[in-house]
Amino acid sequence: MRLHWWDEAFPAAGLPIEEMSFSRQVSMELSFSRQASGDASKERAPAAVVRVERALSGELLAEVALQVSSPVASLRAAAAEAAGVGPLQVELLHCSTPLAESAFQGLTHGSVVQALLRPAGALVLTASVDGTAKLWRISDGACICTFAGHDFQVMAASFSPDGKEIVTASLDGTARIWQVEDTSCLHTLDGQDYQVVSAAFSPDGKQVVTAPLDNTAKIWSSKEGSCQRALMGHRDVVLSAKFSPHGSLVATRSLDGTAKLWCAKTGKCLQTLSCRGGEAKLVVFSPDGTMLLTSGEHHQIAKLWKHAWPEASGDVYQPCGALLGHVSEVTAGNFSSDGWLAVTASADCTARIWHTCTENDRCMHTLHGHTAEVKCAIFSPDASVVATASCDSTARLWSVEDGSCLHCLAHSAEVSCAALSPDGESLLTASADSSARLWRVEDGELLQCLEGHDGAVTSAIFSP
């Protein structure tokens, strides 16, 4: 059996172009052999030896032994490892038909299987108040699978870094870790009767941090499903918890008006950041972890913090500037990929783009156009575009260069969040109208409407 995937620069004869726009040119050669045991009346199950070669040079990349009776998931995992991609990026076809997951159906010695490599961001994960999460294929908008098992609303869902697992946070008092390949629940992380509103993997995928609606956050082993440590110190409900980009810190925000930074290894609280309000609305790391952005309820100012070098004061981060200009509370914010820019969203119906590395004239543009609270604001990967989501049932795309509105994208109810694809070409929006929608950034055209949830969609993200 031989598996091929093609580079678009070297299309294989006889295959349509849309099946050949992939990043590597490698061939996989599978040969099945029977091995006799000492007892002639007994034979081992046929084994497949997977030989992975570069198609042009013939360079050997890997050899993997598989059992013929293994599910296609095992073959996909081997192909993904050999190609250096995640399993979600591999689709196996036989006679132009996707292979069934249960077994090597229809395959015999000498069969040819095509391994199609999807780019990063080819799938979408959504969560909903209907108690489920769903995985969608963006090429045709099809729902691939549903993760069902929670007894109440799912507030968030996210991928592990390698895309093999997802974690969901639910108001049923649990977070769950699921295997993507077969949608099985690997672990249930018990919130001890407190509603879990936030759950996220560490950058290395070995841990999960959750925020149940009590005064703690918890760090769990993603492999064992066991609680490793509780982060105790807040005086009111913890609303979210996330790892720093390098995984050494955990940031939490709480109704007690503070954000806290914790050592992920020991669980020790390293620093408390005052957000001057009844609720810490925002705490977000820059992509390299050297800066933080915070804000508080009923507070019109967002605050910038910079990593202390060295930590002479004992603090991990020190204040380095205030972003002044909003006339109502700051609700959300993010950094550009290089950390040189920040964007904030506000209940004053605007978003603002800021310089992070200047002392004066930090505000570049005020983005006017929304007619209700702006709930989300993010940069494109190249920082040329900002996307916003609002309670006015729209999302908008804005030029970073001049602050102009490029496109207004409409749902029929509040838009709770937005995400941009890894290549920056597509925008994903989630709405209380029970749908997620995929839009082309260049012209604002609606590409896919992902419908299937029975309630508001609370989060939507692209696959890694």
Side-chain angles (χ1 to χ4, degrees):
M1 181 183 297
R2 177 167 294 177
L3 278 79
H4 297 278
W5 52 92
W6 295 268
D7 189 284
E8 58 188 348
F10 300 95
L15 288 177
I17 290 295
E18 58 266 24
E19 293 184 5
M20 298 182 293
S21 57
F22 309 113
S23 60
R24 289 180 174 84
Q25 181 157 342
V26 183
S27 69
M28 268 191 158
E29 195 171 282
L30 280 71
S31 61
F32 292 89
S33 62
R34 288 191 175 274
Q35 301 176 359
S37 66
D39 185 345
S41 63
K42 296 180 180 180
E43 290 184 332
R44 296 179 183 177
V49 177
V50 183
R51 182 180 173 85
V52 185
E53 297 179 347
R54 294 189 181 278
L56 294 181
S57 66
E59 175 191 355
L60 177 64
L61 297 180
E63 287 185 329
V64 182
L66 301 174
Q67 291 298 314
V68 177
S69 58
S70 299
V72 169
S74 299
L75 181 57
R76 179 183 291 109
E81 182 178 0
V85 300
L88 290 179
Q89 293 176 248
V90 178
E91 181 176 0
L92 302 178
L93 305 179
H94 181 229
C95 298
S96 301
T97 302
L99 286 176
E101 294 293 331
S102 57
F104 293 104
Q105 297 177 4
L107 300 181
T108 60
H109 179 67
S111 295
V112 176
V113 174
Q114 292 79 43
L116 305 185
L117 300 188
R118 304 186 184 105
L123 301 175
V124 162
L125 177 65
T126 57
S128 171
V129 299
D130 67 7
T132 70
K134 291 180 181 287
L135 193 63
W136 312 77
R137 187 170 53 234
I138 66 173
S139 59
D140 58 5
C143 179
I144 298 174
C145 59
T146 298
F147 302 89
H150 284 293
D151 297 326
F152 203 32
Q153 301 177 11
V154 178
M155 302 307 296
S158 60
F159 287 99
S160 61
D162 62 8
K164 295 180 180 180
E165 298 170 359
I166 69 164
V167 63
T168 52
S170 173
L171 299 188
D172 68 3
T174 69
R176 293 184 179 225
I177 299 175
W178 311 78
Q179 185 166 285
V180 169
E181 288 288 357
D182 59 8
T183 71
S184 62
C185 180
L186 301 176
H187 304 294
T188 298
L189 313 181
D190 189 359
Q192 296 182 338
D193 298 327
Y194 289 96
Q195 296 173 324
V196 183
V197 293
S198 169
F201 282 96
S202 59
D204 62 8
K206 295 180 179 180
Q207 296 174 308
V208 166
V209 63
T210 62
L213 285 180
D214 63 3
N215 296 5
T216 71
K218 293 181 172 66
I219 298 176
W220 308 77
S221 164
S222 59
K223 181 178 180 180
E224 305 294 337
S226 57
C227 183
Q228 295 179 325
R229 56 195 62 90
L231 310 181
M232 303 172 63
H234 280 293
R235 292 174 283 106
D236 208 331
V237 168
V238 176
L239 299 169
S240 74
K242 65 187 73 175
F243 285 94
S244 62
H246 300 299
S248 60
L249 301 175
V250 169
T252 56
R253 64 181 181 89
S254 168
L255 276 176
D256 66 9
T258 70
K260 288 181 181 287
L261 300 175
W262 312 79
C263 175
K265 185 176 181 178
T266 66
K268 178 183 177 181
C269 181
L270 302 177
Q271 188 173 2
T272 298
L273 312 175
S274 174
C275 295
R276 299 171 120 199
E279 172 189 336
K281 299 289 289 187
L282 170 68
V283 55
V284 61
F285 290 99
S286 62
D288 64 1
T290 60
M291 300 187 77
L292 273 175
L293 183 63
T294 63
S295 68
E297 188 178 24
H298 309 310
H299 198 50
Q300 303 163 4
I301 300 172
K303 197 170 184 178
L304 283 171
W305 305 75
K306 192 169 185 177
H307 199 284
W309 303 102
E311 300 166 19
S313 67
D315 290 334
V316 183
Y317 289 83
Q318 295 178 345
C320 65
L323 307 183
L324 306 170
H326 285 294
V327 297
S328 189
E329 69 182 28
V330 176
T331 56
N334 268 294
F335 289 92
S336 60
S337 57
D338 60 11
W340 286 75
L341 300 176
V343 61
T344 53
S346 173
D348 67 8
C349 307
T350 71
R352 287 177 179 250
I353 302 173
W354 312 82
H355 292 287
T356 62
C357 300
T358 59
E359 297 264 339
N360 303 309
D361 300 323
R362 287 186 183 270
C363 186
M364 291 175 56
H365 304 296
T366 300
L367 311 181
H368 293 282
H370 285 296
T371 58
E373 175 182 332
V374 183
K375 303 197 71 172
C376 174
I378 56 172
F379 284 99
S380 61
D382 64 0
S384 64
V385 172
V386 160
T388 55
S390 171
C391 293
D392 66 6
S393 303
T394 70
R396 288 176 180 256
L397 292 166
W398 311 80
S399 166
V400 171
E401 182 179 5
D402 60 15
S404 62
C405 182
L406 303 174
H407 307 293
C408 182
L409 315 171
H411 278 268
S412 58
E414 171 186 313
V415 183
S416 56
C417 68
L420 280 151
S421 60
D423 60 11
E425 295 181 359
S426 302
L427 175 71
L428 178 65
T429 54
S431 172
D433 66 9
S434 303
S435 76
R437 298 187 181 189
L438 189 71
W439 315 81
R440 185 160 51 222
V441 169
E442 182 180 10
D443 56 12
E445 181 182 348
L446 177 63
L447 300 176
Q448 300 291 351
C449 185
L450 310 180
E451 296 179 312
H453 283 295
D454 293 326
V457 180
T458 53
S459 73
I461 59 170
F462 287 95
S463 60

